[in-house]
Amino acid sequence: MVQRALVGFSLGLAGLGLFSPSVTATTPMKQSPAALMGKTWQLTQWDGEALLPNTEIVLTFAEQNLVGSGGCNRFRGTYQVQPPMLKVNEAIATTRKACPRGIMAQENRFLQGLAQVNRFSLTPEGDLNLYYNHQGQTKRLFFQAQGSTASLEKQTWQLTQLGEQAIKTTKPPTLTFQGKSFSGSGGCNRLVGQFETSGERLLIKEPIASTMMACAEPLMQQEQQFIQALQQAKRYQINENRELIIYFGQGNSTASLVFKPVGMP
């Protein structure tokens, strides 16, 4: 079949009735200790500091313990948390490897800041802020989870809801993720494309390629809405019901695609 690139449509998401531009439907991130665990957090921004290139500062939380790397040495410590308070005990143990002077200086500054952390917050995108005081000013350490797409790749996902619309057609859209590529169906045509993740962030790269089969309405309109939503994907999560939720939108307007694993009632 002939392939085509679907690069934008003339009709916007608001015009398709997926959400109102004035309403934000973002699900807030739970500010709970459990949300800190099970992830490796990588420092990506630091107020007042420029991170050295090719260095990786990471942090992992367990029950009352934390471990990580300051870019040179491994470290270990303990913490207490009572949201939004998070206190890292000052007695942080490290290995004693020697690294270039700039990396060592950055690591020392990071560990000093970490030992002064007094609260945390989790953003709607699933990123982590740690706050500490330095010379009377509040500083922020901004982390993103090092993501794994394993949970995405375990099954084929079938769309059950698009924005506020329940999918009742006998040919619902589907997606399968593998590596950095995805494939599926818009309900009429086959779709293929590429994606990137960072923590819970999800980027569907353009263009999305499609076959050119013509189908009757409402399948064509549903497919158009589905592809537009994918092109505006922001983040994803898999909830306690094993549903995949992809949040999408422009600006402050956010809606969601809800999927279930194929074969799940």
Side-chain angles (χ1 to χ4, degrees):
M1 291 185 179
V2 179
Q3 298 288 317
R4 71 162 185 250
L6 297 169
V7 192
F9 296 89
S10 61
L11 189 58
L13 286 174
L16 292 171
L18 299 186
F19 58 78
S20 169
S22 62
V23 176
T24 299
T26 302
T27 301
M29 193 72 178
K30 291 182 179 179
Q31 306 294 315
S32 69
L36 296 172
M37 300 181 216
K39 302 179 180 72
T40 296
W41 298 99
Q42 181 173 348
L43 184 68
T44 58
Q45 295 180 32
W46 187 351
D47 280 357
E49 299 287 346
L51 296 179
L52 295 175
N54 302 317
T55 58
E56 185 177 80
I57 297 176
V58 295
L59 182 62
T60 302
F61 294 90
E63 290 287 349
Q64 299 182 340
N65 297 303
L66 56 86
V67 297
S69 170
C72 176
N73 286 281
R74 300 292 299 171
F75 65 83
R76 178 183 298 274
T78 59
Y79 71 99
Q80 297 87 41
V81 60
Q82 184 71 40
M85 182 276 290
L86 187 150
K87 172 63 177 174
V88 176
N89 294 332
E90 294 184 6
I92 299 175
T94 71
T95 55
R96 294 179 175 270
K97 187 169 68 172
C99 291
R101 182 177 299 176
I103 294 176
M104 294 299 295
Q106 175 178 267
E107 179 174 271
N108 288 336
R109 291 195 301 271
F110 168 72
L111 293 174
Q112 289 171 6
L114 186 63
Q116 298 174 51
V117 165
N118 52 45
R119 64 186 176 92
F120 79 100
S121 68
L122 291 160
T123 71
E125 292 74 28
D127 302 321
L128 170 65
N129 293 301
L130 295 180
Y131 302 93
Y132 68 96
N133 293 321
H134 178 69
Q135 296 181 348
Q137 294 185 327
T138 298
K139 300 289 185 178
R140 179 178 68 116
L141 300 168
F142 180 79
F143 296 81
Q144 292 179 302
Q146 291 182 336
S148 169
T149 60
S151 58
L152 283 176
E153 298 178 3
K154 292 180 181 179
Q155 55 260 306
T156 296
W157 300 98
Q158 177 181 313
L159 188 69
T160 60
Q161 186 168 327
L162 199 168
E164 298 180 356
Q165 303 173 15
I167 303 300
K168 299 179 180 179
T169 176
T170 57
K171 294 183 178 181
T174 60
L175 285 179
T176 301
F177 297 89
Q178 184 64 48
K180 297 295 184 182
S181 300
F182 70 88
S183 60
S185 169
C188 176
N189 287 281
R190 297 294 299 168
L191 309 175
V192 293
Q194 294 186 320
F195 72 99
E196 290 182 355
T197 61
S198 176
E200 292 187 344
R201 293 187 177 184
L202 174 65
L203 171 66
I204 302 293
K205 295 184 176 181
E206 295 189 36
I208 297 173
S210 167
T211 54
M212 298 183 68
M213 189 164 59
C215 296
E217 297 295 356
L219 283 182
M220 294 304 294
Q221 184 184 37
Q222 173 186 275
E223 182 170 276
Q224 179 178 328
Q225 294 172 339
F226 178 59
I227 293 170
Q228 281 193 312
L230 287 178
Q231 290 172 327
Q232 296 183 10
K234 296 180 176 181
R235 63 184 179 96
Y236 77 97
Q237 69 175 128
I238 297 175
N239 65 20
E240 62 274 12
N241 297 321
R242 294 174 54 215
E243 295 173 317
L244 168 64
I245 304 175
I246 296 178
Y247 298 93
F248 69 94
Q250 293 180 325
N252 293 325
S253 298
T254 304
S256 61
L257 300 168
V258 181
F259 300 79
K260 69 176 183 179
V262 168
M264 188 177 84

